[in-house]
Amino acid sequence: MITRRAGLGLSMAALVLGALAGTASAQTYPDRSITLVVPFAAGGSTDLVARILAQKLTEQMGQSVVVENRAGAGGNIGAAAVSKATPDGYTLLYGTISTHTLNPLMAKKSAYDPVKDFEPVALIGNIPNVLVVNPSVPAKNVQELIALAKANPDKYSYASSGVATPLHLSGEMFNAMAGTKMAHVPYRGAGPAMNDLVAGQVPVLFDNLPSSVEFIKAGKIRALGVTTKTRVAQMPDIPTLDEQGLKGYETYSWQAIFAPPKTPKPIVDKLNAEVKKALADPALQQRLNDLTMTVTFSSPDALAKFVQDQLALWGPITKATGVQVD
Ligand code: GLU
């Protein structure tokens, strides 16, 4: 029979052993490949930046960082999977404002808690969003699109990379402020949405700017406005939606790395240091800058606070749109 005192001693021993095992595994970490889950389809901005970073981390860490696309439900599926993964540093999430702010706020019932069910690793950067159209759409600016959409409510639907993404929110904010009723067509990410926009299957797309940059430059799609408060330095010819009559309009996206809850702190700290080193590389900085991303690297604690601030900031805004997703 185990006495209470002995039982306590045993559980203390288990705790100490567990902590020691965590330290030991952190010392040899990583000793095999790491999976970085991208919760959107290939070709979107989440996938684009995650792959650039994964390649750099692979070079630095001497183990492969492999991107795995687990798309669907506006990022919810991939995020939920990582929140339940083994907390050993070998499964990570490349999260966004969708997985850690908008989806939890807009879902009738979220599959995870964005604060309690993750260990924040590092904030990566901020990105603008953009309103783009197929070149056959006879609108050269936002007011012309509003007039077209009002005159042909059945013809002008808008695509996005999924429900409760900043692109879905951008579309609903546009409808509310412009008085249009464009229907939402959600995809599994901006990659497949862009294919349909270029092919003319859908006339309008709200996208993260990084995944649209090349298509805009090649003239395959036309940009009508950026969603940020001020113009984007890398593409200064695109006016904001605000300056085209939608006063106060603002949306944006951000990206960050998260680990499953209870991932040992030494592993989180090691990952944070590796991300810091990767983002300090001038060539990598240039690539992200060309994609219109502003790097905003942070500590794990600062990312934890950032997520809470974002939830507080977007709570009333998402409530005001009245949009809820299943
Ligand atoms: N548009 C992004 C993608 O398809 C996801 C939306 C976001 O959370 O920013 O990768």
Side-chain angles (χ1 to χ4, degrees), residues 106 168-170 172-173 176 315-324:
M106 292 165 83
H168 180 197
L169 185 65
S170 296
E172 293 312 313
M173 277 172 66
I317 303 170
T318 51
K319 219 178 223 148
T321 65
V323 184
Q324 281 206 320

Side-chain angles (χ1 to χ4, degrees), residues 170-192:
S170 296
E172 293 312 313
M173 277 172 66
F174 185 97
N175 274 338
M177 291 172 80
T180 50
K181 290 194 173 69
M182 293 191 291
H184 179 218
V185 187
Y187 286 76
R188 292 162 67 81

Side-chain angles (χ1 to χ4, degrees), residues 38 40-41 43-48 74 95-99 127 129 161 165-167 188-191 206-208 211 252-255:
V38 165
F40 292 97
S45 70
T46 318
D47 178 76
L48 281 176
T96 75
I97 189 173
S98 296
T99 58
I127 51 179
N129 300 323
S161 47
T165 60
L167 302 318
R188 292 162 67 81
F206 282 90
D207 192 15
N208 294 145
S211 37
Y252 50 82
S253 302
W254 50 261
Q255 301 178 350

